[in-house]
Each structure stands twice: as C-alpha cells, then as structure tokens.
Amino acid sequence: MGDLESGQENVLDTAILEPVANPLNSRRKFLRAGGALAVTAAVVAGAREANANLRGFSSDVKPEKLLLSTRKTGKPAIPALEIVVFNRLAFGWRPGDLEAFRQLPGGNAEKLRTWIELQLNPEKMTDQDCDAKLANLESLNKPLEVAWADYYKNLDDKDEKKFQKMGIPTLEARLATITRMVFSKRQLLEVMVDFWHNHFNVHPERDDSIKPTFMGYDRDVIRANAFGNFRVMLEAVAKHPAMLRYLDNASSNRAGPNENYARELFELHTMGAENYRGVGRQRDVAGYAQGQPDAYVDDDVYEATRCFTGWRIDDNTDESGFTNTGQFAFFQPWHDRFQKTVLGRYLPPDQPGTKDGQDVLDALATHPGTARYIARKLVRRLISDKPPQSVIDAAAKTFLEHQDAPDQMKYVIRSIVLSKEFASIWSEKIKRPLERFVSGLRILETDIKLNEDMLWTTYYMGQALFDHHPPDGYPDFREAWASSSGLLRSWQFMNGIAQDWDEKYKSGVMKTNANRRKPLEITDFWLERLLGRKPHPLEIRDDLIKFLADNGDSNEAITDDDTLKWRVQSIVGFILMSPDFMWK
Amino acid sequence: MQHINRREFMMGCSAAIAAMTGSKLSSVALAEATGSQTLVTVFLRGGWDALSVLPPLDGKDRGYYEAARPTLKVPVKGENKALELNAQLGLHPSLAPLFELYQAGHLAVIPATGMPSNTRSHFDAQEYLELGTPDARTSPSGWVTRFLTGTKSNSVTDLLSESLSLNDELPTSVRGNLKAVGFPSFDGFQLADDAEYRKFLGNALTRLWDGDQWLQQAGMTALRAVDTITKINSGEYKPASDAKYPDDSEFSKSLQTLARVMKAGLGVRAATVDLGGWDTHQYQGEKAQGYFGNLLSELARGLAAFFTDLDGLRSSTTVIVMSEFGRRLDENASQGTDHGHGSAMLVLGGSVAGGKVYGKFPGLAPDQLFDRADLAVTTDYRTVLLEVMQKRFGLKNSLDVFPNFKPSAALGIMK
C-alpha cells in the first residue's frame, strides 16, 4: 500500500471520493483543498478517533488508507498442484482429500496421472456413503417408460397432488445432483456432468411433460455419456423426450417445420456460433466444393430442420402406432421425405426412418469446427477464461483422432489436464455460485438436509440447479458471476454455514477446532484446512491472529468458551468469504 | 448476538461511508437539482415478435400478414383489436398502458430496428448489440460502459455507481466497468440484519477484499453498494402519484427498485433491466391473447407504473426498450414463430417527442423481406441510442460509443 503521508502515488479508487473535481492523489493535498472536501475530512478524522477506542481486525491500519487507496496486492501466487486440481477438477475438497493426493506415489506429474485415471474410471470406485444418501429417492432408477407412467400417464386428473407428483423426478434429480457434488468421491464425473448439463441445457419447467422425464435425462443421457463418445451422446440427447420437448422438435413437421432444435444443435451443441456464417449461401462457404465446408449457414439449419421432422414422442394413443410410452418415436407421416443438403452432404430422398437425422449428427460430430468448439469450452471450464490456444488445438486434435472410441471424452480430458498449462495458470477464473455453495459444504463437512429448502439456497445465490431457461446453459466466464448481489449472497451463505445459523446446514466448526485455543495455532489450522495455503495478501493472516488474540499475545490461550466460539466461527467465516476461497 | 462486545468492532471505511452517506442522502430534490440524466435500457431477451407488437393494420401488408399468421394475427376489429398508432401500424392490445403514454406524447415507436449483422442466433445477436459491435465479439467493453466514459457526469455524488444493472448476472453491455453494480432488488441486500454486526462484517470484508486484482475490485464495488443501499432501504416505500406496480412481477419489482435508487440521487446514469421469455417457438397465443399477450402486459404495466412513479424525474429519464431481433413472418406448425430479423424499439420519457411512429416500415411483400422470410431492418439501433446520448447527455463523439459506425441523421425522437 502506498504511504499516504509521504504523498506517494495513491489512486483514488473509492467511488465516494469521485465528486472531487480535482484529481487529487494524496491525502495531504486532499485535506488542504478544504471546501467541499471538509465533510470527507471530518469523517476520516472521526473514523480515526473512533478507531483509537476500538480494536480488532485491522487496528494497525489507519482507516483513511482504506478509504483513499487500493492496496497493491498483485496477483495471487499459483498454489500447489492439489489445490488447482480440487478447485478445477472437483467441487473443492473434503478434509483429507489434499493429504491423500499428496501421498500418491511419485512427483507431481505422476500424482496427477494417477489421480486422473482413478477419476476417469468412476465405476471402479466405491461410493457407499453417497449412495446411501440417495437410497430414499423413489425415481432415481426408474426407467423412462415407468417414470412416464407413474408421474404423467397414470396420474388422476382429480388428484390434488397431481402436479406435485409430476415434478418428483425433476426435484429428485436436483437433490441427487447436489448430493453427489457434495458427497461423491467421483468428483471429476460430477464436474463433467455439470459441464454437459449446461452444454445440453434443458429447463424442465418449460413444459409439464418434461418434468417426469428429467431424472432419465440426467441418468441415461448426461451421466451415461459424460466420459463417453460424443456422437453417441449427441443422438441420446436428440432422441430424449426432455430435449425433444424443450426445443420443440416434438412438434416439428413437414408442413410447418420448427427450427428451434436444429438451430441450437449447430450453434450450441456442436459447431458453435464461432463457425456460423449467417444468411450466406451454402456453396459460398470455403470447402463446400470438397464436401467439407468449414462453417455453416442458415440454409444448413433449415435443411437440418427438415431432416429431423418426425422425430417426436410417443405421447398419446390416438395416432396410429402410438402407445403412449413417453419415449422417442419416429413418425413417418410428419417426415419431410425429399432430398436435402447439409454441410456439403447430399441426402437423397426417401432415406429410411431416422437416417436423415443421423446423417446430420454424423456430419456434425466429426466436423473440425465441433472439435474446436467443444475443446475451447472444456479448456475454459477446466483451466482458464482465457483458454490457451495450444491446449485447445491439442484437445481438438485428440477429439477427432478418437472420434470412434467409446471413451472419446476421456482422451480429450487427459489432453487438457495433463497439459503443461493446466497447473501453471491460476486465478483467471472464479467459482460459480453453485461451486461456492458446494465447496463450502464440502470443506466444513456440513450436514445437510435433502429438501427443497436447499434448492432455494442455490436459487438465492444466483445459480439454481437446472433452472437456466435459455438453451445456452449458465455462463462460464468470470464477469457474469461477480455482480454485487452475487458476491454478497455468497458472503452471507459462507458466514451462515460457519456460524451454524441455518437449521439446514450444520457445520460443527467448534468440533473440528477441537481443543485449539491459541490464536496463532487456530489461524494456521484453519488457513491450511480451508485454503490449503497462505492467504493473499499474507497480512490477512496477521489480521486473523490479531482478531483472535484481541490484539494480545498470539500464543495466549483464549480461556472463555463463548469468546472462543464467537471468534473461531468468525474467522472461519472470514476465510470462506475471502477472495482466496473464490479464485480457481 | 449476545457475544458481540461493542469493543469487538472497529470503525473504518464502512463507517466513514456511512457517515458520508447519511449527510448526503436526500430524496428526489437532490436528484432533480443536479440535473443529471438517466438512460434506462430494457432488454427483452429471446427476440420479441415485433410483428405482433406492431401489426400492420391496412393495405397489402395486412394481407401478407394475415396470410402468414392464420392463428397468431392481431385482429383489427372486435375484441382485442390492435390499438391504432397511425393509419399503417397498430400496437398490440396488451400494451394498452403504453398506448396511453403514446397518446400523451411520452412514447415514441420505431419499427424495423436492428443491426447490419444477419445472424439469427440469440446469443450472437445479444452479444453484438450489447457490445455495440455487430459481427465482432472481441470488444473488451460494452456500449453502456463506453457511453459512460464518453459523456460527462453532472451528478454531485457517486455513492453507488454510474452503472446499475437490476440483475444477478451482469449483462454484456456493462462489460469492462469494474464499478458496475448489479442487484435485482433490495431484498436481502445487506450484510446482516443487526446494525452493529453489519459494521463489524463490513470492516472485516473491506480488509479481506481490498486489493488491485479484478475480483477484489468487484468485491469492493459490492461492499460500497451494500453499504449505500442499506442506508436508503429503511421503511416502506411509497411510490409517487399512486403508481401501481403489478405485485406478481420480478420485472416490476426491479423497476421499482430502480425508481428508489434514482430518487435517492445516487448518481446512476445508466441502468439496465432484463425481461426474458420472448423466444416463442410454440403456443404464442391466438387472437392476441395467451402467453405473448401476458408477457407484453407485464412489460407495459411495469413500465407505466415506473414512469408514473418517477414523478419529477420524468423529464431527465429516458427508457429504451429493445430485443435482439424480431421473428419470422410465417408462423410455424407449433403456433409459434422462429427467429427472424427486424425488431422494434420503444423510447419512453418526459423529453421524448412521443405520440409518433418514427423510421420506416419496410413492408411485407416477399421482395421487401430480409432473406425473403423476415421483416427487414430500416433503422440501425445505434442511431436511436446515439440520438438520446447526444441530445440528453451531450455525447460529442459517437465513435467513442460505437466505433466504425456512421449514424444516419437523427430521427427526431428527442425534444
């Protein structure tokens, strides 16, 4: 921090001081200016006076410094590998996770390889504690057809609880997902599930008929393919009633095609807007003559829309061949049978069944533009909001090389995580609200009650699970998540769980604190536990110690139990509310 | 909080701001006296169906419209008929509260607005519009941010921020401004209920967050905003002139929150408010009723209440309503409409030369359509925004806000 009294550079960065017309930059000049500034000067003096009688957190800092300058902290240092890993490839850590990583054999590179292979094979990992918490969810394992019958088809119109029942699979999918984020050892799987849910976003409340199918969407489409083959996943998404209904393809027919799904298939699910050339003609796109156009245009969207006509849901018994199973059905009478051209491929008339649509999915899943787009999104998610091009290129190449592998995405993930950039980039991202919520619960080993109240907390924090209405998923760049209300609500939540103020979240900070009573010891214990490293800037550690010690001896035990509890829970809250707990 | 000893608190930044705020805060009087202007942008996300908002009433265009919209057309006679703006264009009946403002001369209507980009993607279009750079997405700042740096502030105080977004997520238009504040309402917008504890937390957080990195700056902006809002958020709010905000609308709640902030004279010069749900690919609603009509009604009732509530601030406030594009002329099989091109803008304010349709309706004959499918664009949205900025905010160089854009002559929307 610049020294105010010496008149060194001090940027007036506090909004309150901006009415000052003259760009004064030192307190001395500031006070001399008088007049309109008198109010501020008086306030500053008053604050200093008051401070003399009070103590605590920052008693060695003159308050006017806080008011007049910005502390020059610089960028935080890149933390140890395990900190990076659990912040970016997991939803934070539970106590013991960091130690377990450190005890893996070999150097950092080998540890990371070992950890990644464990995580990429979740089925080999036992996860009983988490599984046990899911045991009471009635719709968890119901096949789609059964869920459709139980929560939609067979519901009685006179049943007062009809709409509540209809929503059970969606409610339970939300509860199960948060439970897994918090308790499952299969953390990388959960990170990828979160990634794909945002990538193939469905808002279940858009239509009553989506809600009964949403557990199935989470289980059979997203989870089943999270580490799998992209082309397989793409078709599973395209045929699932949740997506068919959400993006309206279920009602698209040759007489009045609905392009909603086809457009988002290109723009959000595969090639991305970066490979979109608007209204242009197909033949004008580079590479078209060679059968591999390097981008798509509106005409590709319209032609693909025709390809997917007749891809609908067996949701009634009135139409011929339908039995109301709630599952995907190809309905020939609605299908546009004529020839189409998509991405330079000629599709002849009268192709059998779903072949037109599958040809489109083939073209998209193997397109270099799709590889780049998926790679960029993943690198942004796993490394940085400014994704390094070299990592994107390598991941895209890997994506194409393994396009037929049943575990294609595992190769792509490895190429990103094992890149040299992975562990050498830090603080270009911040946790999204849901990550803040989950990582706070994980590190405090908070006991949570699985109910709708918990979902309300995620809503309040600004990122309710599976509640993003437009099809693009929640944004994954830091600017979107640093609004004043977003930060404030995270602070409120973090402080609340540290202090055990909420019946829903019981953390037991004092139990963890055990018999520690000395300020220095307490501070270092909690910094290591919550951050796994020293705070940035380092003087925050001194602040915490001074607060605990009431400016006294940092090695003198706090004897009064109430005082100890208040101060310990407060510093746990402070650490969780600090920027260090938000960078990733 | 019985364990908190008063001696546990320290006074610092937060207390200083508190004292300052207390001495400076006043009501409308201050805001009025400063002569400061406020630009409110209402962004309708999803692409509103401009052809239902401003349906053609007569002639050949009416014929094309009715043929293309068998179930969705807004009728010209009988129940729920369009409100007549002029001989050519009507206003959707659910916008009746805005029609009153149109008749009173406060609302201007501009059909067929948009940008040169031919994208039919929501996310492209929103980003281009909000960055203010059609077909390019590399700008580090949004147009609102550049507008604020390109115009001088008259306000005597800057206790909150010049840039306020009534959202949890900050929109692209305010990108690049670390002091942009965002919150949807005052609900829970304080560190704690207890005043002493608030001070304690505020001081601790200030100490934890004070720093020169991007995230730390955002945190300090939040702390200042929280402190200021906590001061003005006491007691029941009573809207002026018996303004009646619909109580079942988040959008209205945000507008009411904005009115409170504006009246407190906190120096907000640019505000953004979002209303979503316009991506009506299905079941838009027949005969001007149903889903789309309800959404328009929410928009109109909220804006009308806001304008009434502004009271003495009406002449210094300009509200611009826009969306990323309009929708296809032909309705689809799901009784909805797909993504289109030309949209429509509304400009509301005490200094607006309203009661008039500005710009040009390009017609609905196949050759007049964009890509033979959508309403064409005849007025660049930047021309509309620039007129407000130049006449009300004294913007000198339009290139500061919209680089590489040569605006057409101002339409004359502002007095």
Side-chain angles (χ1 to χ4, degrees):
Chain A
M1 184 187 283
D3 184 343
L4 292 163
E5 297 305 328
S6 70
Q8 284 172 6
E9 183 194 357
N10 259 295
V11 180
L12 288 177
D13 203 69
T14 309
I16 190 171
L17 295 172
E18 287 204 340
V20 181
N22 196 340
L24 298 165
N25 61 4
S26 85
R27 179 165 153 72
R28 188 167 294 151
K29 283 188 211 162
F30 196 87
L31 288 173
R32 255 206 313 269
L37 306 174
V39 173
T40 308
V43 167
V44 171
R48 187 199 295 166
E49 176 120 0
N51 187 53
N53 296 322
L54 301 170
R55 61 186 169 178
F57 209 62
S58 49
S59 54
D60 62 331
V61 176
K62 292 176 183 163
E64 65 267 35
K65 287 196 175 186
L66 291 179
L67 195 63
L68 294 178
S69 74
T70 294
R71 178 161 60 180
K72 300 286 182 286
T73 58
K75 268 176 88 80
I78 298 166
L81 174 64
E82 61 272 20
I83 307 293
V84 178
V85 165
F86 278 94
N87 272 302
R88 294 216 294 260
L89 305 179
F91 284 88
W93 59 86
R94 299 189 75 83
D97 285 347
L98 297 181
E99 291 76 3
F101 186 96
R102 289 170 190 145
Q103 280 160 20
L104 292 172
N108 267 349
E110 193 184 338
K111 288 185 206 294
L112 182 55
R113 268 197 302 275
T114 306
W115 189 85
I116 277 291
E117 290 311 317
L118 285 170
Q119 290 288 322
L120 285 177
N121 293 284
E123 67 287 350
K124 293 183 189 157
M125 225 183 278
T126 57
D127 209 12
Q128 300 105 322
D129 290 355
C130 180
D131 294 343
K133 292 179 196 296
L134 304 176
N136 290 333
L137 302 178
E138 61 173 65
S139 67
L140 190 69
N141 295 310
K142 280 187 185 173
L144 180 60
E145 194 172 344
V146 178
W148 182 255
D150 291 357
Y151 304 113
Y152 198 79
K153 184 167 76 175
N154 297 341
L155 291 181
D156 186 345
D157 275 343
K158 287 179 218 121
D159 187 345
E160 280 176 15
K161 293 192 167 165
K162 182 182 169 187
F163 286 97
Q164 199 182 326
K165 288 178 182 168
M166 214 179 263
I168 287 174
T170 295
L171 170 64
E172 291 191 345
R174 289 185 169 121
L175 296 177
T177 300
I178 290 182
T179 305
R180 285 162 163 151
M181 286 171 174
V182 176
F183 293 103
S184 176
K185 292 182 200 162
R186 300 160 178 162
Q187 284 288 297
L188 184 58
L189 174 65
E190 294 310 312
V191 168
M192 287 305 294
V193 164
D194 186 52
F195 175 83
W196 291 123
H197 261 299
N198 280 279
H199 186 79
F200 293 114
N201 187 69
V202 166
H203 177 230
E205 276 78 14
R206 179 157 195 258
D207 193 288
D208 281 342
S209 69
I210 298 176
K211 292 187 275 184
T213 71
F214 195 76
M215 180 68 93
Y217 185 69
D218 172 69
R219 181 190 59 223
D220 305 334
V221 176
I222 302 293
R223 290 182 176 277
N225 296 294
F227 290 148
N229 180 278
F230 184 74
R231 170 66 181 81
V232 171
M233 187 176 204
L234 204 55
E235 185 162 335
V237 172
K239 287 182 171 171
H240 199 275
M243 185 61 82
L244 284 165
R245 187 69 74 196
Y246 174 61
L247 290 180
D248 303 322
N249 205 77
S251 62
S252 179
N253 62 58
R254 62 193 168 88
N258 187 314
E259 70 186 53
N260 201 10
Y261 168 70
R263 181 171 292 281
E264 307 310 359
L265 169 67
F266 279 75
E267 180 179 331
L268 299 175
H269 298 173
T270 59
M271 293 176 69
E274 64 195 43
N275 293 300
Y276 170 51
R277 299 287 178 273
V279 171
R281 297 280 84 93
Q282 288 176 314
R283 62 176 178 275
D284 296 334
V285 177
Y288 180 82
Q290 294 76 44
Q292 182 64 285
D294 66 9
Y296 71 96
V297 292
D298 278 338
D299 284 346
D300 288 304
V301 173
Y302 303 147
E303 292 283 279
T305 302
R306 296 173 55 219
C307 291
F308 288 105
T309 47
W311 287 47
R312 52 181 298 205
I313 305 166
D314 173 8
D315 59 359
N316 67 78
T317 51
D318 304 332
E319 289 170 286
S320 118
F322 277 22
T323 53
N324 199 8
T325 62
Q327 290 179 301
F328 171 78
F330 177 72
F331 192 60
Q332 189 71 48
W334 280 14
H335 186 63
D336 182 333
R337 50 174 284 256
F338 298 105
Q339 69 272 31
K340 298 126 190 145
T341 300
V342 182
L343 286 175
R345 297 186 186 200
Y346 173 76
L347 311 182
D350 292 314
Q351 291 211 85
T354 55
K355 178 90 168 47
D356 281 348
Q358 283 170 324
D359 285 349
V360 174
L361 299 180
D362 283 345
L364 286 168
T366 56
H367 196 284
T370 299
R372 282 193 305 273
Y373 174 66
I374 300 290
R376 180 172 292 114
K377 261 187 103 162
L378 261 176
V379 177
R380 182 179 295 125
R381 171 77 196 208
L382 300 179
I383 299 185
S384 165
D385 284 357
K386 300 172 203 151
Q389 192 61 43
S390 55
V391 187
I392 296 169
D393 292 344
K397 188 162 166 273
T398 307
F399 183 97
L400 292 174
E401 279 169 4
H402 296 276
Q403 62 187 33
D404 297 322
D407 53 354
Q408 177 192 12
M409 292 314 300
K410 290 187 184 176
Y411 292 93
V412 179
I413 293 164
R414 279 188 202 106
S415 102
I416 296 169
V417 173
L418 300 177
S419 69
K420 66 176 177 356
E421 287 85 352
F422 175 76
S424 62
I425 293 179
W426 179 253
S427 76
E428 294 295 340
K429 289 188 85 63
I430 59 173
K431 290 177 187 172
R432 302 200 288 187
L434 196 57
E435 295 170 83
R436 299 170 199 166
F437 170 73
V438 174
S439 61
L441 298 176
R442 279 170 67 74
I443 191 53
L444 291 188
E445 299 180 279
T446 308
D447 186 20
I448 53 179
K449 289 200 171 65
L450 290 183
N451 57 32
E452 284 179 76
D453 284 351
M454 190 174 69
L455 299 177
W456 165 248
T457 309
T458 69
Y459 175 83
Y460 184 75
M461 289 178 75
Q463 197 192 358
L465 188 64
F466 308 142
D467 192 43
H468 189 70
H469 298 212
D472 58 341
Y474 284 109
D476 191 20
F477 50 90
R478 60 191 197 177
E479 284 86 355
W481 299 111
S483 76
S484 305
S485 55
L487 293 175
L488 170 67
R489 288 166 183 194
S490 294
W491 294 333
Q492 290 167 333
F493 173 75
M494 293 302 172
N495 200 37
I497 56 171
Q499 307 273 7
D500 269 344
W501 279 337
D502 192 326
E503 276 305 311
K504 298 189 290 293
Y505 308 104
K506 284 293 167 197
S507 300
V509 163
M510 293 317 288
K511 200 172 145 211
T512 306
N513 190 65
N515 52 5
R516 293 176 186 81
R517 286 183 175 270
K518 295 175 182 169
L520 185 70
E521 183 190 14
I522 294 169
T523 302
D524 285 344
F525 169 76
W526 283 105
L527 282 171
E528 172 58 27
R529 188 168 180 105
L530 302 176
L531 300 179
R533 62 190 191 276
K534 298 204 165 66
H536 178 75
L538 196 55
E539 61 214 68
I540 286 175
R541 176 171 174 267
D542 303 330
D543 291 333
L544 297 172
I545 293 169
K546 279 179 191 151
F547 169 75
L548 280 167
D550 194 11
N551 276 330
D553 184 345
S554 63
N555 278 310
E556 190 182 317
I558 302 167
T559 49
D560 178 64
D561 283 351
D562 281 349
T563 305
L564 180 75
K565 179 167 185 260
W566 153 245
R567 291 185 191 166
V568 169
Q569 289 183 333
S570 290
I571 70 144
V572 169
F574 293 154
I575 298 170
L576 294 178
M577 288 189 281
S578 73
D580 276 318
F581 197 69
M582 208 170 286
W583 274 310
K584 60 181 261 185
Chain B
M1 303 309 317
Q2 68 273 27
H3 300 314
I4 304 180
N5 184 321
R6 185 158 168 79
R7 294 197 312 132
E8 299 267 8
F9 306 134
M10 81 126 206
M11 296 275 281
C13 171
S14 189
I17 290 178
M20 180 88 174
T21 312
S23 70
K24 286 276 185 177
L25 281 184
S26 70
S27 58
V28 186
L30 175 66
E32 281 179 53
T34 64
S36 62
Q37 298 281 322
T38 307
L39 175 58
V40 181
T41 310
V42 175
F43 205 114
L44 308 177
R45 298 197 187 268
W48 72 337
D49 182 22
L51 288 169
S52 288
V53 177
L54 305 176
L57 298 178
D58 204 7
K60 279 187 182 163
D61 287 336
R62 182 70 197 176
Y64 291 122
Y65 176 73
E66 293 199 353
R69 300 283 182 102
T71 61
L72 299 183
K73 61 178 181 280
V74 179
V76 282
K77 48 179 179 278
E79 223 178 306
N80 262 331
K81 67 174 183 185
L83 308 161
E84 197 177 312
L85 292 174
N86 61 19
Q88 188 185 25
L89 291 179
L91 193 67
H92 193 288
S94 297
L95 293 175
L98 291 182
F99 189 62
E100 284 178 33
L101 295 171
Y102 179 84
Q103 289 177 311
H106 300 308
L107 179 81
V109 173
I110 309 112
T113 55
M115 60 177 162
S117 171
N118 61 26
T119 185
R120 286 194 180 100
S121 145
H122 293 296
F123 312 105
D124 267 0
Q126 290 183 16
E127 195 164 11
Y128 295 158
L129 288 170
E130 296 192 84
L131 289 177
T133 54
D135 285 325
R137 54 166 67 81
T138 51
S139 170
S141 61
W143 72 259
V144 169
T145 297
R146 294 194 303 273
F147 154 63
L148 288 171
T149 43
T151 55
K152 269 223 164 71
S153 166
N154 292 327
S155 57
V156 293
T157 176
D158 185 10
L159 294 166
L160 185 67
S161 170
E162 290 190 319
S163 181
L164 174 63
S165 295
L166 284 298
N167 298 76
D168 276 325
E169 291 172 36
L170 291 175
T172 306
S173 55
V174 307
R175 187 181 291 174
N177 181 357
L178 284 173
K179 291 184 182 166
V181 167
F183 53 78
S185 78
F186 289 165
D187 290 354
F189 199 71
Q190 57 178 15
L191 287 169
D193 291 334
D194 181 272
E196 284 191 319
Y197 191 57
R198 272 204 299 272
K199 253 184 245 168
F200 170 76
L201 276 183
N203 293 324
L205 283 163
T206 302
R207 183 67 180 159
L208 292 164
W209 282 76
D210 182 19
D212 56 8
Q213 296 300 293
W214 171 87
L215 177 62
Q216 295 162 317
Q217 294 282 294
M220 295 302 280
T221 295
L223 284 168
R224 285 190 290 268
V226 168
D227 204 80
T228 301
I229 295 305
T230 303
K231 302 295 176 303
I232 71 167
N233 184 21
S234 56
E236 197 82 341
Y237 176 67
K238 199 172 169 300
S241 314
D242 287 328
K244 298 244 178 333
Y245 289 95
D247 51 15
D248 53 351
S249 159
E250 299 272 325
F251 172 69
S252 276
K253 193 169 182 180
S254 287
L255 287 174
Q256 182 174 324
T257 303
L258 175 59
R260 277 183 88 166
V261 171
M262 287 171 64
K263 289 182 191 184
L266 299 179
V268 172
R269 297 203 296 132
T272 72
V273 192
D274 282 359
L275 179 58
W278 302 90
D279 193 18
T280 50
H281 285 278
Q282 65 167 0
Y283 308 120
Q284 208 169 307
E286 289 178 55
K287 293 180 189 141
Q289 287 167 310
Y291 178 83
F292 188 75
N294 292 339
L295 200 53
L296 283 179
S297 172
E298 180 177 4
L299 172 72
R301 289 190 300 152
L303 283 176
F306 176 66
F307 191 70
T308 305
D309 186 15
L310 281 182
D311 209 21
L313 294 176
R314 282 176 211 165
S315 62
S316 60
T317 305
T318 308
V319 183
I320 294 188
V321 179
M322 62 189 292
S323 185
E324 67 261 33
F325 43 57
R327 307 189 75 82
R328 192 74 34 88
L329 171 59
D330 287 340
E331 68 180 56
N332 65 24
S334 325
Q335 292 174 31
T337 46
D338 291 326
H339 302 183
H341 191 60
S343 180
M345 288 170 81
L346 308 176
V347 183
L348 169 68
S351 301
V352 172
K356 200 177 151 188
V357 177
Y358 289 87
K360 182 173 169 283
F361 187 75
L364 298 178
D367 287 345
Q368 294 171 321
L369 296 175
F370 170 82
D371 200 24
R372 297 184 72 84
D374 307 335
L375 183 68
V377 168
T378 54
T379 299
D380 194 298
Y381 81 108
R382 292 167 293 186
T383 301
V384 178
L385 291 176
L386 282 173
E387 182 177 346
V388 179
M389 293 174 199
Q390 283 164 338
K391 292 211 185 136
R392 303 305 303 171
F393 294 83
L395 175 72
K396 298 233 161 41
N397 186 358
S398 71
L399 295 174
D400 288 347
V401 185
F402 296 118
N404 308 319
F405 176 62
K406 254 179 106 171
S408 317
L411 296 172
I413 297 166
M414 303 306 293
K415 281 179 191 161

